Amino acid sequence: MKFHLENPLIDYINTLVSFVALNFLFLLCCIPVITIAPALTAMYTVTLHEVKGENGYIIRTYCRQFVRNFGQPFVTGLCLSVLLLIVGFSAVFWYGMGTAVSSAAAAILLAAAAVIYSAMMYAFPLMARYQNSWKQTVKNALYMAAGHPACTVILLAMAASAVMGQVTTVSASEGEEKYPEFLTIDVFDHISNFQGVQSGWFAQLVKEKFNMELNLISPNVAGGGDTLYQTRSANGNLGDIIITNLDKSRLKDLVQAGLVLDMTEYMDGEENLKKYEDSIAKVSELAEQEGLWAVPRGVSEVAATVPNEITEPTNSACLRWDLYKEIGYPEIHTLEDLLPILKQMQELEETSESGQKVYAFSLFSDWDSDIMHNAGALSALYGYDPQGFALFNTVTGETQSMIADDSFYVRGLKFLFDANQMGLVDPESTTQNFDTVSAKYSDGAIIYSMWPWLGTGYYNSQKNMEAGKGFQSAVIEDASYVCWGSNPNGEASMGIMVGSQTADPQRMVDFVNWLYSPEGVQAGGSDTNSVSGPEGLTWEMVDGQPQFTELGKKVFIEKDSSAAVPEEWGGGSYIDGACALNYAPLGTKDVNAETGVPYNYLMWDSYKAITETALTKDWAEHYGTTDAPIDYFNGLDMIAVIPGTTWAAPEYSTDISAIKEQCRQTIVDM
C-alpha cells in the first residue's frame, strides 16, 4: 500500500496541528499584556491568508508578521486601551454616586466605552489587511462598526458576557473586599454543643461576608465544668468572640482581667446593634466600668409576661403520643404516675427503626452546672426554676434547698432512680452527649422528652405525624409547666462579647452586628429556636408570605437529617452545616420588621397548614380543643411564666466560690 504525503487527510492533520501550535504561540505572545494588539494583528493576518487559500507556513508567517507589524498595532492598542480604561473607570465612579444625574452621566460614559471598544474590535483586522495610518484605520473601524450594527451589537454582547462571567468567577466576595486577610477566629462558646471548625452552609455564609472561619471552643463538649474557662482566662486570651453568662460577676471579672473589648469606638455604622443600644448599655453596667462590653441574648419586643413559646411550653410531660393512645390515654394525676404508663409504652415498642432498644429516658451531662440538669428539668413541671443550689417556685414564691429531703430536685432524682430500676433509663446516659441523644430521638429510640422541643424537633417528621406517630404534651393534673417570658432588655444570663486580643476588632463587632440583623437571626439563631434558615435556601417569599422550599420541607417538616444543601450554598447536609453557636440573638416570637415575617417558622401559616396531621388532630380531639398545647394548658391554669428580666445573679466571694464548686460536683455526682 502506497502512502502519499499530499493526501487530503494528511493536509488536514498538518493544518490542525499548525493551528493548535499557533494558538499556544498567540497566548505566549499575549503574556506581557501590552503586546496583545500586535499578537492579535498577526493572528488576523495568518487567518486571512488561510481564508483566501494562500497556504504557507503558518507558524513562520505568524512570527514574521508579529515582528514586522509590531509598531502600529502596539501604539493604537495602547492608546485605545488607556482611553477605554479612563472612560470605564469614570462610568463606574459616577454610577456609584447613586443620584439620577450621576446615573445619566454613567450611561453616557458606558455608551462612549462601547464606541471605543467597537473601534478596537474592527481596527486590528483592518491593520492585518490594509496599509493605512493608525488614525485612518480607527476612522475606518468606526465606519465599519456603524455600517454593520447587527454584527457590532452581537460582538459587544459577546464581549460583555465574557467580561461579566469573568467578574463573577474571579471577583472577590463581599468579605474578601472588605477584609482582605483571611482569619480563623476562636469562639469560646459556653452553650454550644459542638467543638471544632464550623463547616457547611453557615461556614460559607460567614466566609463570604467576613472572610473568616469559626473555630468553636465548647466547655459543653470538652467537659470539666469551668476548667477550660479558667485555663484560657489565665492565659490572657479567652477567644476572639466570647459567648458566656454575664451574671454572677462574670462580665465584671472578664472586664477587670482585660479579656473583653470595649465596643464603643467600633459602633459607628452598626445599625442592628444600635437598635438595642439601651439593652447593651443596661447589661454592660454589670461590668461596673464605663463602656459597651456585651450584647445580651434574647432581646425581644414582646412583653416580659408573655410566654416566649409558640406552640408547646418549654417544659411539659411530652411523650410518644401514638403509644400513649394505644394504651388508652390513661390519666396522669401526678409525676410518679408516668412510670407505669411509660413502662407499658416501652413494652409496645421494644426497638427503634434501626433496631436500637427503646427507653423512656436517655440522659446526657453536657448541660450540667450547679445540678444534674436533666433532673432539674423535672422540677420545671411543677413551677420550680433552679437557681444555683435552690429551687424557686414561680407560682407560690416558695424556695427550696436543692438537697432538702423534700425538695423537688430530690424527688426528681428518686423518680429517675425508680425509672432506672424499671429498665426505663438508657444505660448509656452516663457517657453520651447531646448529639448522641438527639440522634436517638430521630431514630425513635426514646419515648419521653424532657423538653417538648427535643422530641418534636427530632422525631416529628411529616411522615411520622401523618401516620399518627410523634411527640405531644400530656396533662399532669397537679402540674404547673414553666414557661419563659420574653425579655425586652435581653437576658443577663447569657451574652456575646468581643475578645480584647482579637487581631481585627472591627471585623468582630461587624460580625456581632450581623448576627443581630434579620439575615443573621434567620441563619445563625439557636438550633433549638426553630429559626427559618437563609431566605432562598430553606424558604422564599411567595405572594407576600413565606413558603418552604423543597429543602426547607425536608429539613423542617420531614426532619430529614441528611437533607443535602446545593453546592453553591456549601454542600453537605443542612443539619451538619447549621450554625453551631446555639445562640439566639432575639426573642422566639420576634418578627422581621423589614418583611413582617416571624423569624420562627412555627408561627407561619404555611407551616401550620402543612403540619395539621393525624397526630395533631388526635391530640386536639382527645382534649376537645382547637387551641395550641400552650394555650390549652394556660386555660387549665397549668402555665407558670417566669417574667423576662435582666436580673443578674450576685457575685460569690472566693471562699464561697471554692465551697460552691465542691458542693456542685457532689450534687451533680449524686
Side-chain angles (χ1 to χ4, degrees):
M1 179 178 178
K2 294 184 178 181
F3 185 78
H4 296 285
L5 292 178
E6 295 182 1
N7 187 296
L9 177 61
I10 300 300
D11 287 342
Y12 173 78
I13 293 174
N14 283 334
T15 304
L16 177 63
V17 171
S18 295
F19 268 100
V20 171
L22 177 63
N23 275 279
F24 280 110
L25 181 59
F26 168 73
L27 293 174
L28 185 66
C29 291
C30 289
I31 289 176
V33 179
I34 59 174
T35 59
I36 290 177
L40 270 172
T41 304
M43 176 69 86
Y44 283 129
T45 301
V46 172
T47 52
L48 285 170
H49 284 177
E50 286 295 315
V51 168
K52 293 191 297 182
E54 298 172 358
N55 300 334
Y57 295 104
I58 291 174
I59 302 300
R60 186 183 302 171
T61 302
Y62 178 85
C63 293
R64 185 171 59 250
Q65 291 298 326
F66 179 78
V67 174
R68 180 182 298 171
N69 297 322
F70 185 88
Q72 190 183 68
F74 175 78
V75 173
T76 305
L78 185 63
C79 293
L80 290 176
S81 296
V82 170
L83 184 60
L84 181 64
L85 286 172
I86 293 172
V87 174
F89 177 81
S90 300
V92 172
F93 171 79
W94 284 108
Y95 181 77
M97 298 294 289
T99 66
V101 174
S102 65
S103 296
I108 294 171
L109 288 166
L110 281 175
V115 171
I116 296 169
Y117 189 77
S118 298
M120 293 176 71
M121 288 191 299
Y122 287 99
F124 302 122
L126 288 173
M127 289 180 185
R129 179 68 179 84
Y130 301 105
Q131 294 291 327
N132 264 318
S133 67
W134 71 269
K135 291 183 180 179
Q136 187 60 47
T137 298
V138 172
K139 286 182 182 179
N140 291 339
L142 291 173
Y143 290 146
M144 288 191 69
H148 300 82
C151 291
T152 301
V153 169
I154 292 172
L155 290 171
L156 285 173
M158 291 172 62
S161 63
V163 171
M164 291 306 295
Q166 187 68 10
V167 168
T168 302
T169 303
V170 305
S171 64
S173 68
E174 174 187 346
E176 289 170 331
E177 290 180 353
K178 191 172 182 180
Y179 316 103
E181 181 185 0
F182 177 78
L183 293 178
T184 297
I185 68 163
D186 288 339
V187 181
F188 183 86
D189 192 342
H190 242 123
I191 52 177
S192 177
N193 297 305
F194 170 83
Q195 182 154 286
V197 176
Q198 170 80 53
S199 61
W201 62 264
F202 186 75
Q204 177 166 303
L205 196 57
V206 172
K207 171 70 167 58
E208 289 175 350
K209 290 190 166 295
F210 301 99
N211 197 24
M212 66 185 191
E213 64 180 5
L214 311 179
N215 177 42
L216 277 81
I217 300 163
S218 170
N220 279 346
V221 179
D226 261 359
T227 303
L228 184 60
Y229 169 80
Q230 299 294 350
T231 301
R232 293 186 65 87
S233 296
N235 291 334
N237 187 0
L238 199 53
D240 300 278
I241 296 291
I242 303 165
I243 299 175
T244 188
N245 62 295
L246 309 176
D247 56 0
K248 301 178 183 178
S249 191
R250 175 147 292 182
L251 181 57
K252 178 183 176 182
D253 293 343
L254 288 171
V255 172
Q256 288 181 345
L259 295 171
V260 177
L261 178 79
D262 179 3
M263 295 182 285
T264 304
E265 64 179 278
Y266 302 98
M267 291 291 283
D268 287 347
E270 310 292 17
E271 298 303 322
N272 300 302
L273 291 180
K274 286 183 178 179
K275 295 176 185 175
Y276 312 109
E277 56 186 352
D278 290 343
S279 301
I280 297 171
K282 181 71 175 176
V283 80
S284 293
E285 292 175 1
L286 296 173
E288 298 182 8
Q289 289 189 35
E290 186 176 346
L292 299 177
W293 304 102
V295 186
R297 178 180 69 176
V299 184
S300 178
E301 296 184 3
V302 181
T305 54
V306 175
N308 225 350
E309 297 87 343
I310 309 297
T311 57
E312 299 267 9
T314 300
N315 303 274
S316 69
C318 190
L319 41 71
R320 274 282 299 279
W321 189 261
D322 51 308
L323 301 178
Y324 182 59
K325 173 185 178 180
E326 198 167 340
I327 62 173
Y329 310 108
E331 293 183 351
I332 310 171
H333 302 290
T334 192
L335 177 66
E336 286 72 20
D337 289 348
L338 276 171
L339 294 179
I341 291 172
L342 291 170
K343 186 63 179 177
Q344 292 181 64
M345 292 166 58
Q346 182 190 39
E347 291 170 351
L348 283 176
E349 188 150 339
E350 296 182 350
T351 58
S352 69
E353 295 177 10
S354 69
Q356 293 188 82
K357 184 172 173 55
V358 169
Y359 294 96
F361 305 99
S362 192
L363 314 177
F364 58 96
S365 61
D366 299 26
W367 299 349
D368 290 352
S369 53
D370 292 334
I371 61 171
M372 178 184 171
H373 193 79
N374 288 186
L378 294 170
S379 66
L381 298 178
Y382 284 81
Y384 289 97
D385 177 34
Q387 293 290 333
F389 298 143
L391 288 172
F392 176 73
N393 191 294
T394 60
V395 178
T396 65
E398 174 196 5
T399 302
Q400 294 182 350
S401 167
M402 197 71 70
I403 57 175
D405 290 341
D406 61 346
S407 78
F408 211 101
Y409 179 71
V410 172
R411 181 179 171 184
L413 290 175
K414 185 178 185 307
F415 175 85
L416 290 175
F417 174 82
D418 292 340
N420 189 49
Q421 293 294 100
M422 297 171 65
L424 293 172
V425 178
D426 184 352
E428 295 180 355
S429 293
T430 58
T431 58
Q432 64 191 2
N433 60 18
F434 175 82
D435 289 340
T436 306
V437 171
S438 61
K440 289 182 177 180
Y441 273 105
S442 297
D443 187 43
I446 311 171
I447 58 175
Y448 183 87
S449 179
M450 290 289 186
W451 305 275
W453 57 262
L454 185 54
T456 60
Y458 286 96
Y459 186 76
N460 285 20
S461 66
Q462 186 72 4
K463 178 182 177 181
N464 284 336
M465 293 171 69
E466 287 177 349
K469 298 167 62 177
F471 284 86
Q472 289 288 130
S473 294
V475 171
I476 299 180
E477 293 178 2
D478 64 343
S480 185
Y481 299 151
V482 167
C483 293
W484 296 91
S486 301
N487 289 273
N489 285 318
E491 304 171 22
S493 60
M494 195 61 59
I496 187 167
M497 293 150 278
V498 174
S500 60
Q501 301 303 310
T502 185
D504 194 340
Q506 188 62 65
R507 195 186 318 191
M508 298 306 103
V509 177
D510 291 349
F511 175 64
V512 175
N513 178 70
W514 176 74
L515 285 177
Y516 282 77
S517 71
E519 181 184 37
V521 173
Q522 288 162 344
S526 167
D527 55 2
T528 62
N529 214 32
S530 301
V531 290
S532 57
E535 183 177 4
L537 179 62
T538 52
W539 65 281
E540 57 192 0
M541 293 294 287
V542 178
D543 297 329
Q545 295 296 321
Q547 302 288 339
F548 292 108
T549 62
E550 289 304 312
L551 176 62
K553 291 176 182 177
K554 289 181 180 180
V555 173
F556 301 128
I557 309 301
E558 300 172 15
K559 309 297 181 185
D560 183 356
S561 60
S562 63
V565 172
E567 285 300 323
E568 60 266 29
W569 282 88
S573 76
Y574 182 88
I575 298 299
D576 290 342
C579 175
L581 297 176
N582 197 23
Y583 184 80
L586 304 184
T588 307
K589 290 185 174 179
D590 278 60
V591 173
N592 182 347
E594 296 176 0
T595 62
V597 174
Y599 293 116
N600 191 313
Y601 64 79
L602 298 179
M603 298 174 67
W604 296 357
D605 290 339
S606 56
Y607 176 82
K608 295 174 184 177
I610 292 173
T611 55
E612 186 179 18
T613 60
L615 176 68
T616 56
K617 289 178 181 177
D618 186 74
W619 181 91
E621 288 173 4
H622 174 68
Y623 286 122
T625 183
T626 57
D627 291 335
I630 189 170
D631 298 321
Y632 175 70
F633 297 143
N634 194 38
L636 297 177
D637 200 24
M638 289 179 59
I639 296 296
V641 179
I642 300 176
T645 176
T646 53
W647 176 82
E651 175 185 6
Y652 294 109
S653 67
T654 304
D655 292 342
I656 294 296
S657 294
I659 296 171
K660 177 179 177 294
E661 177 57 25
Q662 295 173 350
C663 294
R664 183 198 73 81
Q665 195 59 54
T666 302
I667 292 173
V668 170
D669 291 343
M670 183 175 73

